[in-house]
Amino acid sequence: MEYSLFPRDLFSELERLQRQIHQAVELSPSIRGFNRGGFPGLNVASTPESAEIYAFAPGLDPSKVEVQLERGVLSISGERRPDVPEDARSSVHLNERFAGRFHRVISLSDDLDPNEVRATYREGILHISIKREQSAMPRRINIS
Amino acid sequence: MSEQNGARTGGESAAEQAALLPPVDVIEDQGGITLYADVPGVSREHLQLHVEGDNLFLDGQIAVEMPKDMEATHVEVPRSRYRRVFALSREFDTGRLTADLKNGVLRLRIPKAEHAKPKRIQISTE
């Protein structure tokens, strides 16, 4: 474990420590890396009719974000350009924001309909809503 | 500009303290300082910026419409609020601070006060 020589911000130090602990105790990390702390952050929820995915992906051009769904596996990829300049006349005091290419993959359930995907990008959140296949939805069976 | 921990003096409820720490980039050039903060999900109406003494407070609320009958299965962003506090130094002119928010990225520009801009000092040789 590495410590900052001059820890001036207790909160970000704690956050880093928490991340390291997470990585150490995560029992079954995904083969694609650790589940938490990646870019974009993902929240996934389900409703009886759909799966709802919220990707916290600020500062992107939505036309350059690739979203794919194949056999219940959703992948989100793209690139975020750095805002930090590379000229020598300015100095960078903090550089915490993600920059570069990203690719996140999550497995969802198999009952999703790849033809019923809706993706919207608003205030830096990419919201993907995928409907379940009609046949997979719970149905009330009438008893005659 | 240096940073302080998010705790403000005075009583604050535990619910208020539970906030996300937004990642930031801070770049200084001759004319002033530029701060970028990632606050996805925060709209203009839900973002508060204020300067109190030498401190700059950033506070934003995530307001996203979500289906009512939804059940979370995987959560990486566990809170709905961002908060961070920065200590400014005297040479920044907060009266001329400008801010814009686009696609969940806040860009703040704080110019340096006229008298604080760097002047090149001539070194004379005898």
Side-chain angles (χ1 to χ4, degrees):
Chain A
M1 251 183 231
E2 236 180 273
Y3 294 96
S4 303
L5 182 61
F6 251 69
R8 59 174 178 167
D9 169 15
L10 186 66
F11 273 69
S12 67
E13 290 293 310
L14 282 174
E15 203 178 56
R16 206 164 51 82
L17 190 66
Q18 196 181 26
R19 223 175 5 244
Q20 285 172 341
I21 291 170
H22 256 303
Q23 291 185 359
V25 300
E26 188 112 35
L27 291 174
S28 53
S30 155
I31 198 161
R32 293 189 178 94
F34 295 100
N35 287 324
R36 275 151 223 282
F39 182 91
L42 296 174
N43 282 4
V44 183
S46 68
T47 75
E49 300 87 38
S50 65
E52 308 287 332
I53 298 99
Y54 296 89
F56 291 72
L60 298 182
D61 176 355
S63 66
K64 290 191 180 139
V65 179
E66 193 97 8
V67 178
Q68 279 177 4
L69 177 70
E70 204 187 335
R71 288 182 203 168
V73 176
L74 178 78
S75 83
I76 303 168
S77 58
E79 185 173 11
R80 184 157 96 146
R81 300 232 153 258
D83 285 312
V84 172
E86 279 175 22
D87 61 292
R89 297 177 67 88
S90 49
S91 44
V92 178
H93 296 305
L94 286 170
N95 186 4
E96 302 167 346
R97 295 166 65 239
F98 175 88
R101 291 199 60 82
F102 62 85
H103 185 199
R104 291 215 65 185
V105 178
I106 39 168
S107 304
L108 302 166
S109 55
D110 302 331
D111 60 355
L112 300 171
D113 187 346
N115 302 314
E116 290 283 340
V117 185
R118 214 185 56 225
T120 48
Y121 186 66
R122 218 174 141 229
E123 321 281 16
I125 292 185
L126 175 65
H127 175 205
I128 301 163
S129 177
I130 312 167
K131 290 254 181 297
R132 293 188 196 284
E133 277 166 0
Q134 288 294 327
S135 58
M137 278 193 209
R139 240 176 305 177
R140 195 192 160 89
I141 295 154
N142 285 315
I143 305 163
S144 59
Chain B
M1 178 151 51
S2 65
E3 209 206 336
Q4 291 191 329
N5 64 44
R8 228 194 289 189
T9 45
E12 249 186 339
S13 71
E16 255 192 286
Q17 282 181 353
L20 299 161
L21 191 77
V24 298
D25 289 344
V26 176
I27 303 128
E28 180 172 357
D29 55 45
Q30 294 207 341
I33 211 155
T34 309
L35 180 148
Y36 295 91
D38 280 350
V39 287
V42 178
S43 62
R44 207 157 301 199
E45 309 84 71
H46 293 99
L47 182 72
Q48 282 182 26
L49 283 171
H50 67 273
V51 178
E52 214 177 288
D54 275 345
N55 287 333
L56 170 72
F57 293 87
L58 187 164
D59 200 317
Q61 186 76 38
I62 302 177
V64 188
E65 273 180 45
M66 293 186 188
K68 282 204 178 68
D69 52 352
M70 165 173 117
E71 193 187 321
T73 53
H74 176 86
V75 178
E76 293 175 356
V77 183
R79 306 193 202 291
S80 60
R81 186 169 204 166
Y82 300 96
R83 178 179 301 142
R84 205 156 172 176
V85 185
F86 299 91
L88 299 166
S89 56
R90 230 155 267 252
E91 72 261 33
F92 297 111
D93 186 353
T94 50
R96 291 191 293 141
L97 184 151
T98 51
D100 66 68
L101 182 65
K102 196 185 164 203
N103 286 342
V105 178
L106 168 72
R107 182 182 180 276
L108 262 181
R109 173 78 185 165
I110 316 170
K112 280 182 193 168
E114 225 27 73
H115 63 82
K117 285 196 181 151
K119 264 175 246 150
R120 199 187 158 90
I121 294 157
Q122 290 294 331
I123 303 164
S124 58
T125 46
E126 305 236 332

